Amino acid sequence: MSDFDYGTLGTAEQRRDYYREQGYVVVPSLLSRRDCSAVIDAFRCEVKPFEGHIYRQASANPEKHKWTPAGTMLNSILNPVAVNPRQFPRFRDLVTRMLASDALFGAASELYDEAAGLVQSMYFEGNPATWAHQDCYYLDSTREGDLMGAWLALEDIDP
């Protein structure tokens, strides 16, 4: 982690230049704390107690929850925007609104200077200890290497 002050990336041009040079950029406070807390609350109320099957990111198959000893869900959800709206109405609605927000699409679009689109989404509660990898080996764009991943931290995370 560098000593770079992310707060100095005040303009779209600065963020785009930094992204092109470093391959990533941090955009602090892109999402409101209130919205992030609402998604976490809906996850805890609707998804965690669910005992059925949900499509999972690692296998792309429907599976029941797998738990860590600390009680966090280990197998992440594949495409939370597509979970059953009858079983998870609030969670699905909040995640969809967050992932389709003008703030997120605007931030992504300015890095490529063109419109962005959503290809896939995932929801992680715990760390599945994924091996080091490049996402382009699993999913990429029609222009090879142009797929951008966005990690949205819904809670404060130490670097």
Side-chain angles (χ1 to χ4, degrees):
M1 194 78 184
S2 71
D3 293 330
F4 189 82
D5 178 8
Y6 300 110
T8 64
L9 296 175
T11 69
E13 184 178 5
Q14 289 172 321
R15 287 186 290 275
R16 188 170 34 253
D17 290 348
Y18 187 84
Y19 177 74
R20 287 178 180 160
E21 181 181 313
Q22 301 297 324
Y24 76 96
V25 67
V26 176
V27 183
S29 304
L30 184 68
L31 308 169
S32 76
R33 287 183 182 271
R34 183 182 53 111
D35 289 347
C36 293
S37 294
V39 170
I40 293 169
D41 182 61
F43 171 79
R44 289 180 179 151
C45 292
E46 294 179 353
V47 178
K48 280 190 85 163
F50 183 67
E51 295 183 2
H53 292 78
I54 301 173
Y55 280 94
R56 303 304 175 147
Q57 177 266 331
S59 68
N61 289 314
E63 300 173 359
K64 292 185 175 189
H65 298 322
K66 294 178 184 169
W67 302 102
T68 67
T72 40
M73 189 182 72
L74 190 57
N75 50 342
S76 57
I77 299 171
L78 176 64
N79 293 320
V81 297
V83 295
N84 189 321
R86 290 182 307 279
Q87 293 167 322
F88 314 109
R90 189 165 161 253
F91 177 72
R92 178 178 164 149
D93 178 61
L94 291 167
V95 166
T96 300
R97 283 195 277 143
M98 181 176 282
L99 293 178
S101 70
D102 289 341
L104 180 58
F105 271 76
S109 296
E110 78 178 14
L111 296 178
Y112 279 107
D113 207 18
E114 63 182 72
L118 179 64
V119 176
Q120 185 182 82
S121 57
M122 297 169 260
Y123 188 95
F124 292 80
E125 181 188 36
N127 181 356
T130 306
W131 55 92
H133 67 281
Q134 293 179 327
D135 288 344
C136 65
Y137 289 115
Y138 303 97
L139 183 69
D140 207 346
S141 63
T142 54
R143 290 189 321 245
E144 190 174 323
D146 273 358
L147 183 75
M148 174 194 314
W151 176 58
L152 308 176
L154 300 180
E155 55 193 344
D156 288 335
I157 302 292
D158 289 332

